[in-house]
Structure formats: C-alpha cells, structure tokens
Amino acid sequence: MENNNLPDNPYLLLTPGPLSTSKTVKASMLRDWCTWDEDYNLNIVQEIRTRLTHLATSRDELYSTVLMQGSGTFAVESVIGSAIPSHGKLLIIANGVYGMRIIQMAKILNIPYEPYILSEVNLPDIENVRTLLDKIPDITHLFIVHCETTTGILNPVREITALAKQYNKTTIVDAMSSFGGISMDIYDWQIDFLISSANKCIQGVPGFGFIIARKDELVHCENQSHSLSLDLYDQWKTMEGGGKWRFTSPTHVVRAFLQALDELEEEGGIERRYERYSRNQRLLVDGMLRIGFTPLLPDFMQSPIITSFLSPQQEEYSFVKFYNLLKENGYVIYPGKISTANTFRIGNIGEIYPVDIEMLVETIHRIKFW
Ligand SMILES: *Cc1c(COP(=O)(O)O)cnc(C)c1O
C-alpha cells in the first residue's frame, strides 16, 4: 500500500527498531484520539489485543495480551518485576546484551536469580540447562531471548521451554525482535509470557510494548509488582475493563500499530513476512560475501532478522566514516555490540524489500574506501 502524496524518508533504517515503516503507517497518526470512549478503547485497543493474542496462538482462549507504555525494555521489566514471587528464583539464559540486561534488572529489583551466561556466539546447551534445573530446585521461572539482536543469533527457544516444562517451570521469552517475523504458536512452544514491542516485526512506530501471557499465570502476578507504573497485573485488569490504560496511552502510536497489523494481514500474515525477511537476509549475506565481507555467525545460528559482519581489517577502515557515507547514500546501519570481535550489523526487517537489499550491497561496493 503506497501513498505517494507523502514525503519520502531521507534514508532507509536497516536497524532492528525503530525501523522503516510504511507511509500509510506514518499517515495513520495524523489525527488525535480521546481515550475514554469506544472509538479508541474498543475499536483500537481491544481490537489490537484480540488480534495479537490470535497471532500468537490458536489457543487464544488461554492467553491475554497486555499493552505497556514505553520501549520494549519497559515491557520486559514489567514481566520480570511482576511474575516472580518473593520465594521464587529466575534462571536467566544470556548470550548477548538483552539477556545480560535481565541480570541487571534482577539485581536492581532484588529478585533471586541464577545466571547461565554464554559468549555472544554460542547457543545455550540443553544439557547444561538440565544440570542447572537438577542442581537448583528452587528455580521457579526461566528467561530466554529468542532472537538475540546483539548478534542476530536465533536461540533454540522451543527445546529450552520444553525442558523447562518437564521441570514445571514458568517460561518467559523475549521475542522482541522476532514476534511477527517468525511463526510460532506460543501454546505449542509452551511459552507462558511472551514479550515484544510495537516497533519491531509488526512494523509499527516506537512507544509501547506488549506481553502475551497465559491468563492463569497473569492471575499469579497480583500484588507482586516491584513498580507502580509497570505493574503487569494491574495493567491487565484495567485493560480487561473495556480497553482502558491506567496512565496516558500513546494514542497515535497505538493507532499506527493497528494500521501496521492491517498491513501484516495484507502481506499474507507472519509466514509471508518471514519469507520476505528470509529472502532479504539471504540476499544480504550472499551479496556481502561477494564483495568481501564475512558474517560473524554460521548460517545455522543466524536469524532472518539482523546480521553481524566482521569489520574490515584494513587500517583505512572506520565505522563512523562507513556509516556516514552510507547514510548520505540513503541507508542507516548499526554498530556492532559484542566484546570478542569488531563487527557492524545490518537489519533487514521493516518496510524493506529484496530490491532495497540489492541496492544496498551495490552502494556498499561503490563507496568502499579501504
Ligand atoms: C529491541 C529489543 C529489546 C527492547 O529494547 P528497547 O530499546 O527497550 O526497545 C529487548 N530485547 C530484544 C531482543 C530486542 O531486540
């Protein structure tokens, strides 16, 4: 869907969010909404909640979606700060920045936790997780990131949650950068709390996150929150009352999100979007290999969301110069974020098509200054 009366963006964002959105998503924000009647609460907020639950599972009667103001981290913190009781313990699997952030949260919130930390280029080992669950029986909850956006690695969530369920643990999955871009049924995947946000694969603009959770788990969150504004249970109960938010809701962002959901449907749903992202990612890696770059991860670990490449070794190379030249030519990329290698990252989610990736590779080849 295109609206050619609207101005073009000066560049494409090849980043993992905020990302490039369609003109029609941006255009849907050009009006104001009141927040106490059906136009907004019922036709937009409740509609979004119902659709998200349905996108996540065919067993949608067992789950409910809670929208939470703020960036994705706020939604994660609302789950971490609301779901683990004082006698509980959280097993945190971390192989990147977003896993490590949960350790920081647990420390600040005084939540008992057990870290399982890996390097950014390693997948968690099922047998190591089993050993931890055997050795530490007071673990009640398990946290894992699906696509670790730090590198683009795709963690084996389904295997890990299946194991956690053998031990009767509650499962919390950060699917921030994958939900909407990779198919999953969270009932089959045995996920109790799934967290994502508006500005990733659904292709909305930033301003809120969402939690799709089992209702029987949400009920347990009552009176457990370490925060007033991030109280997941309270937010859920209030929203259940006709789509009301407890505090000011980001109305324009929410309206744009509904437009983004319509456009996901128009594209053919998550499967079709996954195919587009996968084609983008394949073209990117093949093209970059052709012009002399090396991806950080082997193919079997790689998500179709974002790819890390090793920085060129030549002395003349500088990321800032590379970044600025690319930006002048219409593309914004991302610096690397890992401790063991010099990298940069290129995301391929958002309103990005194979032709954009082909032109990007051509442009990189043309501006190469090292
Ligand atoms: C984007 C992202 C988040 C949230 O980051 P914010 O900057 O708070 O939006 C969390 N986890 C992962 C894996 C992400 O990609």
Side-chain angles (χ1 to χ4, degrees):
M1 212 209 255
E2 274 308 309
N3 187 334
N4 291 318
N5 296 324
L6 296 162
D8 284 323
N9 217 61
Y11 41 69
L12 282 180
L13 291 170
L14 299 167
T15 54
L19 37 65
S20 290
T21 55
S22 68
K23 284 184 180 180
T24 36
V25 162
K26 287 188 271 280
S28 68
M29 290 186 285
L30 290 173
R31 63 154 285 188
D32 308 311
W33 298 86
C34 58
T35 52
W36 54 268
D37 69 27
E38 293 192 344
D39 284 349
Y40 182 71
N41 291 339
L42 212 60
N43 301 338
I44 300 179
V45 178
Q46 295 298 62
E47 176 69 17
I48 285 172
R49 294 181 62 218
T50 307
R51 285 211 222 167
L52 281 177
T53 313
H54 193 66
L55 275 179
T57 177
S58 56
R59 298 295 306 274
D60 40 2
E61 76 283 4
L62 297 175
Y63 289 81
S64 187
T65 296
V66 187
L67 313 181
M68 185 61 78
Q69 294 95 331
S71 82
T73 304
F74 292 60
V76 177
E77 192 158 0
S78 100
V79 174
I80 301 299
S82 303
I84 296 119
S86 51
H87 61 267
K89 185 179 257 187
L90 176 64
L91 174 60
I92 302 168
I93 302 176
N95 57 349
V97 169
Y98 295 101
M100 294 304 289
R101 189 173 289 173
I102 308 308
I103 294 177
Q104 214 181 340
M105 269 179 205
K107 277 187 188 148
I108 288 174
L109 299 175
N110 246 322
I111 289 166
Y113 69 95
E114 179 66 32
Y116 170 31
I117 301 172
L118 301 109
S119 97
E120 295 111 331
V121 293
N122 280 312
L123 294 171
D125 183 273
I126 299 281
E127 289 316 309
N128 287 350
V129 177
R130 189 193 301 279
T131 305
L132 286 167
L133 292 173
D134 279 329
K135 273 203 336 218
I136 312 167
D138 59 339
I139 288 171
T140 51
H141 293 63
L142 175 145
F143 173 91
I144 186 167
V145 178
H146 187 207
C147 169
E148 219 342 319
T149 321
T150 309
T151 54
I153 201 169
L154 197 62
N155 282 323
V157 164
R158 211 176 170 170
E159 287 81 354
I160 300 278
T161 51
L163 178 65
K165 283 300 168 190
Q166 284 173 25
Y167 287 77
N168 223 355
K169 312 299 181 193
T170 298
T171 56
I172 304 171
V173 176
D174 171 348
M176 201 73 64
S177 61
S178 58
F179 182 75
I182 298 178
S183 296
M184 60 185 97
D185 186 307
I186 62 173
Y187 178 80
D188 294 338
W189 286 37
Q190 305 189 74
I191 297 173
D192 297 318
F193 294 89
L194 175 135
I195 308 149
S196 187
S197 79
N199 61 283
K200 304 257 169 149
C201 295
I202 306 286
Q203 300 185 183
V205 301
F208 71 94
F210 53 89
I211 297 104
I212 310 172
R214 279 192 70 107
K215 290 178 190 167
D216 51 9
E217 290 288 344
L218 281 169
V219 167
H220 288 141
C221 297
E222 188 172 10
N223 291 325
Q224 267 181 186
S225 179
H226 293 243
S227 155
L228 170 73
S229 54
L230 297 176
D231 187 329
L232 181 62
Y233 178 86
D234 228 38
Q235 184 89 338
W236 176 51
K237 275 289 147 183
T238 305
M239 273 190 180
E240 285 291 283
K244 290 192 293 292
W245 298 56
R246 285 180 307 156
F247 309 120
T248 299
S249 76
T251 46
H252 300 74
V253 176
V254 174
R255 178 61 189 86
F257 190 78
L258 182 61
Q259 176 64 28
L261 282 174
D262 284 342
E263 293 178 20
L264 172 60
E265 215 165 278
E266 270 165 41
E267 185 169 1
I270 294 175
E271 292 282 351
R272 292 289 94 71
R273 185 156 289 181
Y274 170 78
E275 283 165 18
R276 173 164 62 89
Y277 289 171
S278 299
R279 267 176 65 211
N280 285 349
Q281 201 272 335
R282 200 59 252 166
L283 278 171
L284 176 69
V285 169
D286 290 347
M288 292 294 275
L289 281 169
R290 211 163 50 234
I291 61 173
F293 288 89
T294 312
L296 173 73
L297 298 173
D299 274 350
F300 79 92
M301 290 185 190
Q302 176 64 52
S303 68
I305 306 295
I306 185 168
T307 309
S308 297
F309 293 95
L310 299 175
S311 302
Q313 292 301 300
Q314 286 85 342
E315 234 174 74
E316 297 80 6
Y317 174 80
S318 116
F319 176 76
V320 175
K321 189 169 173 195
F322 182 38
Y323 175 92
N324 285 327
L325 267 174
L326 264 185
K327 187 172 168 192
E328 278 166 28
N329 282 276
Y331 305 95
V332 166
I333 62 168
Y334 231 42
K337 226 180 191 179
I338 80 164
S339 45
T340 52
N342 266 326
T343 58
F344 62 88
R345 293 175 289 173
I346 300 181
N348 57 257
I349 58 176
E351 194 68 0
I352 305 291
Y353 294 86
V355 59
D356 299 312
I357 299 292
E358 279 165 1
M359 283 176 57
L360 166 79
V361 173
E362 252 176 59
T363 307
I364 292 176
H365 192 46
R366 181 163 51 78
I367 65 161
K368 209 168 146 183
F369 56 89
W370 55 89

